[in-house]
């Protein structure tokens, strides 16, 4: 396993602060925000300094009913190669629904939605993960997500679901402790129980992030300070294993560099305390074992020898997590050996002998039947349509929570549109978000955020809005510049000429 250290999510808004923060071993970038041919200068300089960069995807939809799109997989692979990354990460989530499996239009969630913890969903997820692993040049790790809602009829806990995913695919895990806390508040799930059920040896790294509680619901905002309960979950994890890396996420409302440094220091303190506690426990265990050791006899020792003497069956060996897939195994062999040595030094546990039998590789799995994918597609489409398309909610869901999730999706969609098309909130002012909420009601996103921004502008103009004539002229010009079979010229001179004409006509 690659040892990463302490890192932070790289965002353009805090690029200068990240370059100056001490002790940043690595950064994570949103894969879809990076162009392989035009890596931002600030990120390129970090790489030249030896800082590891990990691309973090948000649009594959590995938990969706459809197989991963080859184009999206190629794009993620290109970013891993361009950044010289040791691994890539994605989410255990679905982000779109509809399409051929349901004979209905494809619709986008604009955010990460939870996968039902059922056998059908796990079978589909495992196959999708294997498809992604085969297409990527480096190992893949997948992240547990935060959820506002629960699926009815779930068959596994989160820990069981993740453990079987690892066992069947060999995929690595990106554990977000803030998401474990979110699911504790919103779904009543015990983070300690989830950590107990996880194969901790499969953890590639850990996310830590802030959030906020509103009306009894925890929102994983990535726009607030990290809270003590989230650090407590990190401490629970570090008491069980030494994570190869821990990363601070922040996506909005960025604080001063000093506050970021303080949060990083708090994370380092928790991980250091976990390592020290594990080392003390390891020494105590080793001392106890040495004091209670019994002489070796010719008949042998241990449970297996006792079984041989008594005729009882020896206990079955503990099943090890499945190895990484062949494409990644060679790259990780040396790291795994070093990790084993480090774990022995940290915990006092014995490292398996060099000639010990290797764990069994996952058995080849039968392809998932189309009927299974179709069942999952229908369920996910019904849920997403209720959230973004104003259709009746599926049976078994908490309707209040669905309303909260729907509002959160609309707010997220508006925030992303404001970044993709910053002129829109500038033109509309304080009326931007209320206008977007009215537009989004019953209008799912179907063609990505840029198309959504144009559709929003078209909707306003067709309705004679905004009411202010100058703002309406500005919005009309903005739309004309970006739409149609032959958009208006966008070079600086053409834009300047249009602004002059707009000013002379009474616009601003």
């Amino acid at each position: 396993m690659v040892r990463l250290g302490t890192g932070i999510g790289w965002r353009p808004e805090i690029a200068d602060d990240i370059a100056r923060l001490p002790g940043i071993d690595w950064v994570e970038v949103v894969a879809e925000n990076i162009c392989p041919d035009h890596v931002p200068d600030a990120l390129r300089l970090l790489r030249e300094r030896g800082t590891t960069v990990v691309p973090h995807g948000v649009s594959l939809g590995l938990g969706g009913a459809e197989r991963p799109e080859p184009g999206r997989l190629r794009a993620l692979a290109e970013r891993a190669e361009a950044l010289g990354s040791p691994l890539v990460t994605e989410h255990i989530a679905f982000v779109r629904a509809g399409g051929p499996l349901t004979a209905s239009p494809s619709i986008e969630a604009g955010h990460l939605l939870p996968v039902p913890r059922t056998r059908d969903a796990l079978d589909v997820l495992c196959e999708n993960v294997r498809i992604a692993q085969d297409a990527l040049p480096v190992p893949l790790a997948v992240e547990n997500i935060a959820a506002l809602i629960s699926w009815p009829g779930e068959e596994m806990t989160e820990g069981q679901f993740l453990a079987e995913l690892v066992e069947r695919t060999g995929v690595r895990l990106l554990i977000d402790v803030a998401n474990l806390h979110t699911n504790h508040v919103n779904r009543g799930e015990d983070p300690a129980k989830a950590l107990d059920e996880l194969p901790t040896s499969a953890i590639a790294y850990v996310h830590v992030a802030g959030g906020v509680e509103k009306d009894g619901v925890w929102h994983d905002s990535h726009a607030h300070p990290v809270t003590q309960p989230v650090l407590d979950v990190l401490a629970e994890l570090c008491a069980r294993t030494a994570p190869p890396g821990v990363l601070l996420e922040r996506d909005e409302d960025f604080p001063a560099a000093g506050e970021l440094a303080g949060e990083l220091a708090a994370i380092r303190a928790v991980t250091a305390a976990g390592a020290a506690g594990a080392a003390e426990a390891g020494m105590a265990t080793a001392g106890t074992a040495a004091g209670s050791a019994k002489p070796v006899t010719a008949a042998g020792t241990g449970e297996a020898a006792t079984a041989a003497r008594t005729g009882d069956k020896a206990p079955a060996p503990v099943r090890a997590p499945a190895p990484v897939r062949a494409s990644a195994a060679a790259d990780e062999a040396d790291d795994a050996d070093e990790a084993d040595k480090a774990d022995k030094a940290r915990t006092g546990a014995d490292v398996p002998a060099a000639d010990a039998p290797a764990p069994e590789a996952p058995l080849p799995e039968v392809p998932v039947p189309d009927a299974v994918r179709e069942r999952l597609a229908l369920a996910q489409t019904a849920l997403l349509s209720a959230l973004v398309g104003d259709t009746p909610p599926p049976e078994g869901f908490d309707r209040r929570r669905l309303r909260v999730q729907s509002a959160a999706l609309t707010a997220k969609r508006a925030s992303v549109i404001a970044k993709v098309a910053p002129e829109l909130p500038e033109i509309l002012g304080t009326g931007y978000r209320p206008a977007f909420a009215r537009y989004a009601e019953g209008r799912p996103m179907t063609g990505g955020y840029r198309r959504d921004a144009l559709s929003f502008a078209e909707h306003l103009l067709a309705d004679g809005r905004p009411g202010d004539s100058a703002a309406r002229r500005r919005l009309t010009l903005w739309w004309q510049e970006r739409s149609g079979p032959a958009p208006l010229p966008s070079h600086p001179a053409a834009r300047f000429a249009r602004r002059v004409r707009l000013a002379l006509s009474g616009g601003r």
Side-chain angles (χ1 to χ4, degrees), residues 1 4 26 28 56 87-92 117 140-146 158-166 171-183 190-209 220 222 230 232-238 240-249 267 271:
M1 192 79 70
L4 294 168
W26 64 292
E28 179 192 78
H56 185 54
L87 77 162
V88 298
T89 58
E90 248 288 352
H91 298 83
I92 301 170
R117 297 173 196 153
L140 169 69
V142 290
E143 179 181 356
N144 60 304
I145 73 162
E158 181 161 42
Q160 292 167 342
F161 192 81
L162 295 177
E164 187 163 337
L165 173 65
V166 170
V171 74
R172 300 299 183 185
L173 296 177
L174 160 49
I175 296 300
D176 190 315
V177 294
N179 292 348
L180 291 178
H181 173 68
T182 300
N183 294 345
D190 182 4
K193 184 175 187 293
L195 292 172
D196 285 340
E197 293 172 338
L198 287 177
T200 55
S201 60
I203 294 176
Y205 62 88
V206 175
H207 271 174
V208 180
D220 181 45
H222 294 193
V230 171
D232 291 343
V233 180
L234 176 62
E236 287 271 6
L237 185 149
C238 291
R240 292 162 172 78
T241 188
V246 183
L247 181 126
L248 172 65
E249 286 189 295
I267 289 170
T271 57

Side-chain angles (χ1 to χ4, degrees), residues 80-391:
E81 290 175 333
L83 297 169
S85 306
L87 77 162
V88 298
T89 58
E90 248 288 352
H91 298 83
I92 301 170
F94 79 100
V95 297
R96 61 188 65 86
L101 287 173
T102 59
S104 64
S106 179
I107 53 177
E108 298 277 341
H111 198 45
L112 307 165
L113 290 175
V115 173
R117 297 173 196 153
T118 61
R119 286 288 159 195
D120 276 1
L122 182 59
D123 288 346
V124 170
L125 175 62
C126 287
E127 186 169 270
N128 288 351
V129 164
R130 287 193 295 273
I131 291 169
Q133 288 171 315
D134 289 340
L136 294 170
V138 293
L140 169 69
V142 290
E143 179 181 356
N144 60 304
I145 73 162
L148 293 172
I149 55 177
S150 299
W151 283 84
E154 291 192 313
E155 299 164 353
M156 285 169 273
T157 65
E158 181 161 42
Q160 292 167 342
F161 192 81
L162 295 177
E164 187 163 337
L165 173 65
V166 170
E167 182 181 12
R168 290 171 60 176
T169 66
V171 74
R172 300 299 183 185
L173 296 177
L174 160 49
I175 296 300
D176 190 315
V177 294
N179 292 348
L180 291 178
H181 173 68
T182 300
N183 294 345
H184 169 63
V185 176
N186 295 345
R187 296 164 54 142
E189 298 173 354
D190 182 4
K193 184 175 187 293
L195 292 172
D196 285 340
E197 293 172 338
L198 287 177
T200 55
S201 60
I203 294 176
Y205 62 88
V206 175
H207 271 174
V208 180
V212 63
E213 188 171 347
K214 295 179 181 177
D215 300 325
V217 176
W218 186 267
H219 296 266
D220 181 45
S221 66
H222 294 193
H224 294 82
V226 176
T227 61
Q228 188 58 48
V230 171
L231 292 176
D232 291 343
V233 180
L234 176 62
E236 287 271 6
L237 185 149
C238 291
R240 292 162 172 78
T241 188
V246 183
L247 181 126
L248 172 65
E249 286 189 295
R250 187 79 178 225
D251 292 333
E252 294 183 76
D253 294 337
F254 298 101
E259 186 174 332
L260 291 174
E263 291 194 323
L264 288 164
I267 289 170
R268 290 190 187 97
V270 171
T271 57
E280 290 176 5
M283 287 187 290
T285 300
T288 302
S292 60
K294 296 181 180 179
V296 178
T297 67
T301 62
E303 291 173 320
T306 302
R309 289 194 301 270
T310 63
D312 294 333
K313 290 184 178 180
V318 176
R319 191 169 189 178
V324 294
R325 293 173 68 79
S327 60
D331 294 337
E332 294 200 342
D334 292 340
D335 289 322
D337 183 56
E338 291 303 317
D340 285 341
K341 294 176 182 176
D343 285 342
K344 179 181 180 181
R346 187 176 63 84
T347 65
D350 289 334
V351 177
D355 58 353
E360 294 182 7
L363 293 174
E365 296 208 14
V366 177
V368 176
D370 289 343
V372 173
R373 287 187 178 272
E374 288 168 4
R375 283 198 299 269
L376 182 62
L378 288 170
Q380 292 180 338
T381 302
L383 173 59
L384 185 52
S385 295
L387 292 173
V388 302
D390 204 26
T391 61

